[in-house]
Amino acid sequence: MNGLRAAIVRGARRTRRRGDGVHAPRSGDGYEFVQLRGYEEGDDPRRIDWAATARVGSLQTRVFLEETSLVLAAFIDESASMRVGRKRRLTDAADDALRAWFGAAESEDRTLRIVDDRIVNGTRPALHARAARPFDLRRTLTFAAHVLPVGASLLAVLDGFDLPAEESPSAGPVDELLLAVAARCDATVLLARDPWYDGLPLRGLRRVRDAESGRSRLLYFGRRARERFVAAVAEREKRLTARFRNAGWRVGALDETDGRASLDRAFGLIGALDFAPAGA
Amino acid sequence: MSFAHPFVLALTLLAVAALLWGLRALDRRRSADALAYSNLAFLEAAAATRVPWPAIVAGVWALAAACFGVALAGPHLVAPVAVRDGAVALCIDTSGSMSATDVQPTRADAALRAVRAFIDSVPDGTRISIVAFSSSAAVIMPASDDKDAVRDALARIPAPNGGTAIGDALDVAARSLPPVRHRAIVLVTDGVNNAGSDPLEVAPQIGATGTTIDTVGIGTSGSGLLIPGTSEEADLDESALRAVAEAGHGAYARVGDADALARRLSDIARSTTVEPRRIDASFPLAIAGGTIMIVATFGAFGLGRFP
């Protein structure tokens, strides 16, 4: 079993919050012993290995291999706002992450991808599926909350620009959907990191085009404007991360240079990137 | 403003408008090469500057182009230009009624203060003569462009006494003026002509020589003072002063206090020592356009618009 799959399995097994923060064990734990690990809040007390606890001096929990197969689901924001980047597009990095995600599947697992309002089953079709309609986060979350099997592992890759602002009246329903999806699945989101998170490559008067609408504006970028931009990007990432985490999602940053590594970082398999940009 | 070649102006402005339109279209076409950003609204909110630099740069370029366009059309302005070689005669009433205190401290002192303000206000090079008059008129200071000498001469103005010979004063003032192109007489009086020649006969003759006559009536009605040798109250003959001013192509004004009198004489000093002159504004506009163009170019370099 590759490291990513093991991490996904651990994630799928982890207990999660339900309702007002009550932890409940997930059903479906198997019987094939895998390892001992320190007790974590929410572990089933029946899984505590008292002999090991006595030896080590702290509570130890027996971990068993889940016998049920994984359901690996994913959706990607394919909108034009993701087709930007410094050296390569964010969608390319998203494809890397998607390949790694579905690559973790084994024969008994099920892979599926949410594209528009449909499910594309099977690894190859899922990898090559392309959206026919503009990405709509709310619609996609609604669909995921209703159709994904309980206990599925979900990967979402998006830039969060279509997530309503926290102070917006439409933010509440979307946040509820985030909670609903996280309650149903082991949800992971890779938030596309702004390609210019560490500084805009623009000085003076420059024309900038909106990737989504094509609208362009001539803007002046002075030193202070560039500093404000870096700070705003860092703040936006921080707020987005907190929002998804509060909803029970695992959060990672999608780095345009390596989507696979971004996914590994999200699962803690390799060292995390410094999420706050240098100099922010 | 008039233009020697109005059609050139129209053509130039059209050309400038076409150029700006072309540049704008080119700039829009360049938007395909513009940096694509995920969310322009976020970028604008995050890095927006309060100063509308793009509009300022465009405005400065447009201003420079407009200056060149207008300069090519040969603009001519009619503007008041200071006359350096003008001559002004100040006729100051020293009749007995000038000692009245309805104008503080007295009409005579207020008149002297106003005359000093007049001297300060005329352009350098203007020749000034002083004529004092009561029952008769005399030149206190012949025409001179030495302002200090003229100020010193004010000390020789006699104390208020006697009648009011306005006609004689105008005649003496006209004779005191040198034969220069721009001549003016400023008459400051508080009374009615009661001695010498009739000002209504003298003024038209002076006016016919091209000399301007401005008249200023000083004092308030009901001062209580009588015209010497009569039982009549010293009061202004405004209709006569107005007629004198009209005959001399000037203006009449009545003032009731010292400050107003000083302001009035200062105004007259500026208006009687200037003349409307037709000026060719092509060169200054071209220079202005060039300067603005240089500033705009350096500014644009600074803002990263070039290369």
Side-chain angles (χ1 to χ4, degrees):
Chain A
M1 184 163 59
N2 69 31
L4 179 60
R5 180 183 164 77
I8 295 169
V9 168
R10 279 197 300 274
R13 277 205 205 113
R14 97 185 149 160
T15 56
R16 60 197 59 253
R17 288 186 181 139
R18 282 183 183 167
D20 54 355
V22 177
H23 287 74
R26 283 178 60 85
S27 59
D29 276 359
Y31 298 97
E32 187 184 333
F33 177 76
V34 177
Q35 63 174 0
L36 280 170
R37 63 162 168 80
Y39 176 80
E40 289 178 3
E41 187 187 353
D43 280 353
D44 186 345
R46 291 170 297 180
R47 299 289 189 195
I48 294 173
D49 187 324
W50 296 107
T53 299
R55 280 197 305 276
V56 177
S58 60
L59 287 174
Q60 297 294 309
T61 303
R62 289 188 298 269
V63 178
F64 292 85
L65 180 64
E66 190 172 27
E67 289 181 341
T68 53
S69 57
L70 290 172
V71 176
L72 295 171
F75 67 80
I76 291 179
D77 175 357
E78 294 178 71
S79 61
S81 65
M82 288 280 287
R83 282 182 233 129
V84 299
R86 246 182 207 181
K87 291 181 178 170
R88 62 199 289 253
R89 299 185 306 182
L90 288 165
T91 45
D92 295 338
D95 284 342
D96 291 347
L98 196 65
R99 274 192 292 275
W101 181 252
F102 288 144
E106 292 188 346
S107 56
E108 70 274 20
D109 296 335
R110 189 180 159 203
T111 53
L112 60 93
R113 180 168 168 191
I114 300 171
V115 180
D116 299 328
D117 285 343
R118 62 194 167 95
I119 293 278
V120 178
N121 284 298
T123 301
R124 278 182 65 85
L127 279 173
H128 294 101
R130 286 288 171 261
R133 291 195 303 183
F135 180 74
D136 183 328
L137 180 61
R138 186 172 176 170
R139 194 186 66 220
T140 306
L141 287 172
T142 306
F143 187 73
H146 284 93
V147 304
L148 287 182
V150 172
S153 298
L154 171 68
L155 172 68
V157 186
L158 46 93
D159 56 23
F161 276 117
D162 50 357
L163 190 68
E166 285 154 305
E167 57 276 11
S168 156
S170 55
V174 176
D175 286 339
E176 282 172 19
L177 281 170
L178 289 175
L179 281 167
V181 170
R184 192 178 182 93
C185 315
D186 178 47
T188 303
V189 62
L190 289 182
L191 293 170
R193 166 167 283 181
D194 191 298
W196 295 279
Y197 73 99
D198 56 353
L200 275 171
L202 305 171
R203 285 172 198 280
L205 284 171
R206 288 289 179 269
R207 189 165 280 282
V208 184
R209 180 168 48 87
D210 185 272
E212 292 272 356
S213 66
R215 183 175 69 95
S216 71
R217 283 286 308 270
L218 190 61
L219 298 172
Y220 176 71
F221 297 96
R223 182 177 54 84
R224 274 180 292 201
R226 291 195 299 275
E227 286 172 1
R228 279 200 303 273
F229 171 79
V230 169
V233 167
E235 177 63 21
R236 179 175 172 273
E237 286 185 351
K238 207 165 86 179
R239 291 176 73 152
L240 272 177
T241 302
R243 205 156 159 199
F244 274 94
R245 279 201 179 131
N246 288 341
W249 288 61
R250 181 185 295 107
V251 185
L254 178 73
D255 178 19
E256 73 168 50
T257 58
D258 195 340
R260 164 77 202 223
S262 303
L263 190 57
D264 286 347
R265 283 191 193 95
F267 278 89
L269 300 178
I270 55 177
L273 282 174
D274 177 16
F275 207 67
Chain B
M1 183 187 284
S2 59
F3 293 95
H5 315 292
F7 66 96
V8 174
L9 176 69
L11 280 178
T12 310
L13 292 181
L14 273 176
V16 169
L19 181 70
L20 288 176
W21 183 83
L23 286 173
R24 191 177 165 84
L26 189 67
D27 205 33
R28 289 218 169 145
R29 197 167 290 175
R30 278 185 193 154
S31 68
D33 305 327
L35 178 82
Y37 187 76
S38 302
N39 190 297
L40 188 56
F42 171 77
L43 180 63
E44 283 186 273
T49 173
R50 287 179 191 164
V51 184
W53 288 114
I56 289 173
V57 169
V60 173
W61 279 107
L63 182 65
C67 281
F68 280 126
V70 176
L72 279 174
H76 286 90
L77 294 168
V78 178
V81 177
V83 179
R84 293 266 165 197
D85 59 346
V88 183
L90 283 166
C91 297
I92 301 161
D93 189 349
T94 58
S95 62
S97 58
M98 287 294 281
S99 60
T101 56
D102 58 334
V103 177
Q104 293 292 325
T106 64
R107 291 177 182 180
D109 288 338
L112 275 180
R113 193 183 128 200
V115 167
R116 285 195 187 91
F118 179 93
I119 294 166
D120 292 341
S121 300
V122 293
D124 291 339
T126 303
R127 279 171 276 184
I128 304 168
S129 61
I130 307 284
V131 174
F133 69 97
S134 54
S135 298
S136 62
V139 176
I140 300 294
M141 176 74 196
S144 169
D145 60 358
D146 182 350
K147 286 186 175 182
D148 290 335
V150 176
R151 285 189 196 96
D152 291 344
L154 295 180
R156 299 199 293 273
I157 292 176
N161 186 30
T164 308
I166 295 174
D168 288 355
L170 291 174
D171 187 40
V172 171
R175 291 174 199 280
S176 73
L177 289 172
V180 293
R181 191 162 57 88
H182 194 82
R183 287 170 296 174
I185 294 171
V186 180
L187 174 72
V188 180
T189 182
D190 72 337
V192 180
N193 186 66
N194 53 20
S197 52
D198 183 358
L200 296 180
E201 288 179 6
V202 177
Q205 293 168 16
I206 297 171
T209 64
T211 303
T212 308
I213 304 173
D214 286 292
T215 56
V216 181
I218 181 172
T220 55
S221 297
S223 64
L225 284 178
L226 300 177
I227 297 170
T230 71
S231 58
E232 291 177 41
E233 262 193 47
D235 207 352
L236 279 171
D237 184 358
E238 287 199 273
S239 60
L241 292 177
R242 195 170 283 115
V244 167
E246 281 175 12
H249 311 292
Y252 164 72
R254 178 172 182 172
V255 292
D257 61 73
D259 289 337
L261 178 61
R263 275 198 304 276
R264 179 60 192 153
L265 282 201
S266 295
D267 291 345
I268 292 173
R270 282 187 285 271
S271 63
T272 58
T273 52
V274 296
E275 65 178 1
R277 209 174 274 176
R278 190 175 155 86
I279 300 169
D280 183 358
S282 303
F283 187 67
L285 267 175
I287 292 289
T291 307
I292 294 170
M293 191 74 84
I294 289 168
V295 169
T297 305
F298 277 101
F301 268 115
L303 292 172
R305 195 79 177 119
F306 295 121

